Amino acid sequence: MTATPTSREHTAKYAWAAGLMLFAAVMLTLVGLLDIFRGIMAIAQDQVFVTTRNYVFQFDLTGWGWIHLILGVVAVMVSIGLYQAATWARVAGVAIAGLVIIANFLSLPYFPVWSVLMIAMSGFIIWALCVARKEDVAPGSYDTMPRGGR
């Protein structure tokens, strides 16, 4: 004998899933914008960042700038899909956040504090996108989120 969820439990489940999706969308937007700015800085002014000698994954800082700029633009575009709770955007969001983690790990000697911050933010994005189940998130489910001041 199984208990059927009440409408209140069902609404709470939707609210949590929608909240996590919205969190991931906002965080991915921020990660994308920060990556865009970092890419522009590295492309425009190589002297802004400290270079490391004999680094295994050594690229020209302009090369790193282009990598971060492209990742940032793609991240912002995917985050727009996350605001619509699209399934393709969840998959792409996990993939792009993973690529952001890899790119920031490889560029760690050039921008250490910034890279660690971006790795942590991307980890939270992956977590938020993977925790909410597909059946709990439906398009328009942001409307079911509880609002303050009842």
Side-chain angles (χ1 to χ4, degrees):
M1 196 162 134
T2 60
T4 58
T6 63
S7 110
R8 185 176 209 175
E9 291 171 352
H10 193 64
T11 304
K13 197 188 280 190
Y14 275 141
W16 273 102
L20 284 173
M21 288 290 293
L22 191 59
F23 170 79
V26 170
M27 291 293 285
L28 192 60
T29 302
L30 289 174
V31 164
L33 289 173
L34 291 173
D35 245 5
I36 288 170
F37 294 145
R38 177 165 59 174
I40 291 171
M41 285 188 305
I43 292 167
Q45 291 281 335
D46 278 0
Q47 297 83 17
V48 171
F49 301 106
V50 177
T51 58
T52 303
R53 295 178 190 220
N54 302 324
Y55 181 52
V56 175
F57 303 109
Q58 188 170 5
F59 284 127
D60 178 38
L61 284 179
T62 304
W64 279 119
W66 281 108
I67 289 170
H68 287 289
L69 181 65
I70 291 167
L71 283 174
V73 168
V74 173
V76 170
M77 291 188 318
V78 169
S79 71
I80 293 168
L82 286 175
Y83 287 113
Q84 304 300 319
T87 303
W88 68 265
R90 291 182 67 185
V91 173
V94 170
I96 196 70
L99 290 174
V100 167
I101 287 174
I102 292 169
N104 280 288
F105 176 76
L106 295 177
S107 62
L108 198 58
Y110 299 113
F111 348 93
V113 176
W114 188 276
S115 292
V116 169
L117 177 69
M118 296 293 277
I119 289 169
M121 288 174 69
S122 297
F124 280 121
I125 291 167
I126 292 172
W127 170 79
L129 291 175
C130 291
V131 167
R133 295 181 311 194
K134 181 180 177 183
E135 59 268 11
D136 292 341
V137 180
S141 61
Y142 297 137
D143 300 333
T144 63
M145 292 179 63
R147 307 280 188 243
R150 293 181 183 227

